[in-house]
Amino acid sequence: SGESGAGKTESTKLLLQHIMNLCKGNSQLEQQILQVNPLLEAFGNAQTVMNDNSSRFGKYIQLRFQKNRVRGAKLSEYLLEKSRVVQQDTGERNFHIFYYMFAGLSSEEKEMYGLLDPSLYRYISGRFGTQDVAQRWKQKYQEVCNALDMVGFQEQEQVDMQAILAGVLSLGNVTFEPEEKNGSVKVSEASRGWLKAAAALLLEVNVLSQLVCCVLCSPWSPSVRCCCFLCADARDSIAKVAYGRVFGWIVCKINELLAENVDPDVELSEIGILDIFGFENFAVNRFEQLCINLANEQLQHFFNHHIFQMEQAAYKEEELPWETITFNNNEPILNLLLAKPLGLLSLLDEQSAFPQATDKTFVDKLNSSFKGNSHFQPGRGRVLGFSIIHYAGKVQYAARGFLEKNRDTLPANVRGLFINSITPLLSLLFTGKSLRLLQLAGLSIFLCPHQHSLMILMERMYSANPHFVRCIKPNSQKEPGVVDSQVVLLQLRYNGLLETIRIRRDGFSWRPSFEEFAER
């Protein structure tokens, strides 16, 4: 754990290499486990203002052992930041894979996918990079292709996957205008070419046009045909769900490759490694940051439970003289967020179920429910929002889009149309069998609320014997070899590491079992 940019993903890779080395890791499986990283990072990581290679999803890697040899592995992913596909803030980029494709594809391949100059695409905001950066991306693209071959993706599957990504980029350039005759909405004349380009890779033109203009005809948006803004939301929803399904499919394929091939009766031991996004506080914080920071609040509480509560309970149980060490207990913050029926997420679910509810009615509900709560502050000024005093500091959240993102639904008619996609892979990703595979792989992000995904993760954590690796960010400028003592001290304080040092110093460093003691 640690802040965004503190080195969690790099530490995870080093830890995996170390474990494989201890296993004398020469087997093909052990090498494959190490080699899937370029694939996951290309599709799941992006540049943010805090980190040039920020994980925009959480991953839990389960390594299964028999007699100190790795016999299998499984990857579970949590909370992929799908909104990044359609929107990035200043100084940020989309997922790496889009830039790698532009740098690595040949002219003929770009023509096959209908890709033009990267500066034209709204979803990557025209931000491409210098020649040196493009050369580095070209090398990364080759690493991704090698990883796809190694994992076992067929050539046609790789073509289809890149066709979907190219189609998503073209779809992002489709805009809308009012239909003068009947007051409805149509695709603007200026973007008909982009619609055709997207349709050539995703769905037939008429079907795709109908989809983006009608997709949100639902209980909470009855007037969709009269609103270009809602059509743009529909377009973005299609792009997000298509990308999310591709990512989930990649994880499923990796798990098929890494699955253990042993007798079911053989008992395997397990080491799990959790590499999850760090605490975030940007200039603008949205629904995604709330989910990320909630996950970090839960992990901090898990840390407190093991290091302070269980530790001090053990001394009390053995009747050892002990002066209780106080620590910053973040349980009140978790209650604010998770309590039922009046926690923030419960209120969000409640509002999401009302057809007439808006982001403003949701914020009004929060302001009335949490009046006087020391961890909540109403928004100030014109921006619709609120602030939460997290264990790591105060974060101001912009509430626009909270209800839409929490609903995260895809109408049945959309799923049906995608099943008839002209790209075979896209059709496969929306069939019942494919959905069941995603569910079995633990990819609940597509099928359940975000908090359910986190609940499953925390259940896994509490059933394990944990070791905590705390990553400390040396400075806020993303500079190597520079240590800002104030930045470091702040992290040591809010993580509870100063109290941890004290409890370890005052306590007992060696804890033999009675059997070990008697034998000695």
Side-chain angles (χ1 to χ4, degrees), residues 167-351:
V168 162
L169 288 178
S170 293
L171 182 63
N173 283 9
V174 175
T175 56
F176 307 92
E177 60 190 15
E179 179 74 76
E180 293 180 6
K181 295 178 183 176
N182 55 17
S184 63
V185 173
K186 66 174 183 177
V187 173
S188 68
E189 291 301 321
S191 67
R192 294 291 298 181
W194 291 113
L195 179 71
K196 288 177 181 176
L201 300 164
L202 302 174
L203 294 163
E204 291 180 8
V205 173
N206 292 340
V207 174
L208 190 57
S209 178
Q210 177 196 0
L211 203 54
V212 291
C213 291
C214 307
V215 69
L216 287 181
C217 281
S218 65
W220 45 77
S221 55
S223 59
V224 62
R225 282 188 170 277
C226 304
C227 186
C228 295
F229 181 74
L230 286 177
C231 286
D233 279 351
R235 172 201 64 206
D236 291 348
S237 294
I238 293 166
K240 287 186 289 188
V241 79
Y243 190 86
R245 293 287 164 92
V246 168
F247 186 77
W249 174 68
I250 289 170
V251 173
C252 284
K253 293 282 282 189
I254 289 172
N255 283 337
E256 286 176 14
L257 172 80
L258 302 181
E260 60 266 23
N261 184 21
V262 295
D263 190 308
D265 297 329
V266 173
E267 189 173 335
L268 300 176
S269 51
E270 181 175 302
I271 294 175
I273 303 171
L274 176 69
D275 171 22
I276 202 162
F277 22 55
F279 186 83
E280 292 185 345
N281 189 359
F282 297 139
V284 180
N285 299 288
R286 299 187 172 87
F287 178 73
E288 292 77 15
Q289 275 66 51
L290 181 68
C291 292
I292 286 169
N293 291 341
L294 168 61
N296 279 273
E297 286 285 0
Q298 290 182 296
L299 288 174
Q300 180 66 18
H301 185 264
F302 178 64
F303 174 81
N304 287 342
H305 174 75
H306 275 272
I307 298 298
F308 298 113
Q309 292 167 306
M310 289 178 66
E311 182 90 355
Q312 299 190 90
Y315 293 140
K316 188 175 180 181
E317 184 184 342
E318 300 207 11
E319 298 180 9
L320 293 166
W322 182 254
E323 183 181 335
T324 300
I325 289 177
T326 58
F327 60 95
N328 187 15
N329 189 349
N330 66 335
E331 207 161 306
I333 307 169
L334 285 177
N335 289 336
L336 168 73
L337 295 168
L338 296 174
K340 294 182 179 180
L342 293 176
L344 187 148
L345 291 184
S346 292
L347 294 174
L348 179 60
D349 284 342
E350 176 192 279
Q351 289 285 298

Side-chain angles (χ1 to χ4, degrees), residues 415-442:
R415 191 170 289 124
L417 291 171
F418 270 123
I419 288 172
N420 298 317
S421 169
I422 52 183
T423 299
L425 174 60
L426 195 57
S427 175
L428 171 71
L429 294 179
F430 283 84
T431 62
K433 181 182 178 183
S434 177
L435 289 173
R436 282 194 297 277
L437 282 172
L438 292 171
Q439 198 168 20
L440 287 170

